[in-house]
Amino acid sequence: VCLTCCSRDVMVRIDQLCHRNGVKFFTGDVFGYHGYMFADLGEHEFVEEKTKVTKVSPGVEDGPDTKKAKLDPSETTMVKKRVVFCPLKEALAVEWSGEKAPAALRRTAPDYFLLQ
């Protein structure tokens, strides 16, 4: 489900329905130069391609880089990963008062407050 130009209450309600039924949910909007986008993919599994790291045998090469691991771009492995997304209501329910609030505020983009 993709939503745009909806009120916060409508977005939260539709996301709750989607989250409960395992339906992926996207919402976003733009206000001049600022905008936001939110995705609730529920339990999302994907495959990531990783470059294989090969270790150099000691004594084969000379120099300061001898002990460093080398990346071989021709060899890759596929790694299965799983991410659990939170619902929109939970993302908007951040507590801004408390001892961890100043650190969280520094890490939060100002556009987050467009939703508020």
Side-chain angles (χ1 to χ4, degrees):
V1 173
C2 296
L3 290 180
T4 186
C5 301
C6 292
S7 71
R8 178 181 163 168
D9 293 336
V10 169
M11 290 186 293
V12 168
R13 177 71 181 130
I14 293 176
D15 179 46
Q16 287 175 331
L17 291 169
C18 290
H19 194 82
R20 205 174 310 136
N21 293 299
V23 175
K24 295 179 182 348
F25 173 81
F26 297 89
T27 187
D29 212 339
V30 177
F31 307 99
Y33 287 111
H34 299 278
Y36 68 88
M37 182 272 192
F38 178 83
D40 178 2
L41 305 180
E43 291 185 24
H44 183 67
E45 290 185 353
F46 60 98
V47 177
E48 183 178 11
E49 189 175 13
K50 292 265 189 175
T51 306
K52 244 186 188 170
V53 177
T54 56
K55 294 186 179 180
V56 178
S57 302
V60 174
E61 291 184 21
D62 293 332
D65 294 335
T66 303
K67 294 182 181 179
K68 288 186 179 175
K70 303 283 183 179
L71 293 178
D72 185 0
S74 62
E75 286 192 53
T76 60
T77 58
M78 302 303 263
V79 178
K80 189 174 182 178
K81 294 194 173 188
R82 182 177 167 265
V83 178
V84 178
F85 286 74
C86 72
L88 179 60
K89 186 175 185 176
E90 188 178 313
L92 293 173
V94 175
E95 182 62 42
W96 294 108
S97 61
E99 59 188 56
K100 294 184 180 181
L105 191 57
R106 282 192 296 276
R107 290 189 317 266
T108 303
D111 296 342
Y112 169 83
F113 298 100
L114 288 172
L115 272 171
Q116 301 294 356

